[in-house]
Amino acid sequence: GAVVSQHPSWVICKSGTSVKIECRSLDFQATTMFWYRQFPKQSLMLMATSNEGSKATYEQGVEKDKFLINHASLTLSTLTVTSAHPEDSSFYICSARDPYTEAFFGQGTRLTVV
Amino acid sequence: AQSVTQLGSHVSVSEGALVLLRCNYSSSVPPYLFWYVQYPNQGLQLLLKYTSAATLVKGINGFEAEFKKSETSFHLTKPSAHMSDAAEYFCAVSDERGSTLGRLYFGRGTQLTVWP
């Protein structure tokens, strides 16, 4: 199947700083990318959907100024957690798809804010 | 609207025993259905998918699932569990034919434990 690479796989940052997570589709053009958040022992919660070159569509309750999503090219989307706080600590997963196949998932990023 | 219910947050089986993970869905349009597996601190790996072709779908690692429209179910089975099958399993439905770009709606997940 197609490969989606997410980087970094884990990151620790200080409270108040910003963290950027990258999601790349390595062998296909990702017209749509999805960002999820997963709490321990829970399911995936969709945060936002982005199309290449367009503004992301955020799910209800997700702060767009807190979680900045950029999908500037067909192979790269980034999620920036701004002014991170301990409650933002979580597992973040991206997925990417083109119009012809199902979505493929990155390996996830474990964010710990201290 | 689409939704998924996974019955049983935890399932335990002995190695070599049948694995049955239950999934029921609700969809306002003909659904696309998926099963994913997640190992600790990793992303999701697609096990199999139903996209309106054959109702019995075979996936990787010996798993299969049967789409039953009358029961709105898509249960995942494997005849003989292996220790390496221990993981979290997620059922998901997509509104592929809808307007939200094929977003996935996930169940809560089922943790499969395999005893030696």
Side-chain angles (χ1 to χ4, degrees):
Chain A
V3 178
V4 175
S5 176
Q6 192 173 335
H7 179 80
S9 56
W10 61 269
V11 58
I12 301 173
C13 71
K14 290 185 177 181
S15 187
T17 62
S18 295
V19 174
K20 180 182 286 188
I21 302 170
E22 292 187 348
C23 181
R24 294 182 184 272
S25 58
L26 298 186
D27 51 3
F28 68 101
Q29 294 187 325
T31 50
T32 305
M33 286 191 172
F34 305 88
W35 285 95
Y36 296 86
R37 182 174 180 176
Q38 186 179 30
F39 293 99
K41 307 293 185 183
Q42 294 190 31
S43 188
L44 282 73
M45 180 191 78
L46 181 66
M47 299 174 67
T49 303
S50 71
N51 291 312
E52 183 264 339
S54 302
K55 288 185 178 180
T57 300
Y58 289 81
E59 294 297 300
Q60 191 172 8
V62 177
E63 299 175 61
K64 61 180 65 178
D65 295 330
K66 175 88 173 154
F67 299 100
L68 300 178
I69 292 172
N70 183 279
H71 190 170
S73 77
L74 284 172
T75 58
L76 173 65
S77 176
T78 59
L79 167 66
T80 302
V81 183
T82 62
S83 187
H85 288 91
E87 57 266 29
D88 299 323
S89 298
S90 194
F91 194 60
Y92 293 88
I93 306 175
C94 72
S95 70
R97 64 167 298 177
D98 66 22
Y100 312 107
T101 65
E102 73 274 8
F104 294 92
F105 286 80
Q107 59 267 55
T109 297
R110 171 72 60 193
L111 170 62
T112 302
V113 185
V114 298
Chain B
Q2 283 71 29
S3 67
V4 170
T5 302
Q6 289 184 241
L7 297 176
S9 58
H10 290 83
V11 170
S12 295
V13 299
S14 298
E15 192 173 20
L18 171 72
V19 175
L20 171 61
L21 304 182
R22 299 179 185 274
C23 173
N24 289 87
Y25 70 91
S26 172
S27 178
S28 56
V29 297
Y32 282 14
L33 293 159
F34 305 82
W35 274 100
Y36 290 91
V37 60
Q38 183 182 34
Y39 297 97
N41 291 310
Q42 293 188 29
L44 275 65
Q45 180 183 8
L46 180 66
L47 281 176
L48 49 80
K49 63 181 179 181
Y50 166 78
T51 58
S52 77
T55 57
L56 181 62
V57 181
K58 294 186 183 298
I60 62 171
N61 301 339
F63 285 94
E64 63 181 39
E66 186 172 8
F67 172 70
K68 292 187 177 180
K69 184 178 179 180
S70 61
E71 299 177 7
T72 60
S73 69
F74 190 57
H75 302 329
L76 181 70
T77 61
K78 182 174 180 178
S80 177
H82 191 272
M83 297 293 289
S84 60
D85 295 327
E88 187 84 20
Y89 291 80
F90 291 97
C91 181
V93 62
S94 167
D95 62 345
E96 191 71 21
R97 300 178 182 83
S99 61
T100 58
L101 304 171
R103 66 163 288 181
L104 292 167
Y105 298 81
F106 286 91
R108 289 181 169 271
T110 298
Q111 178 68 47
L112 175 65
T113 300
V114 181
W115 300 103

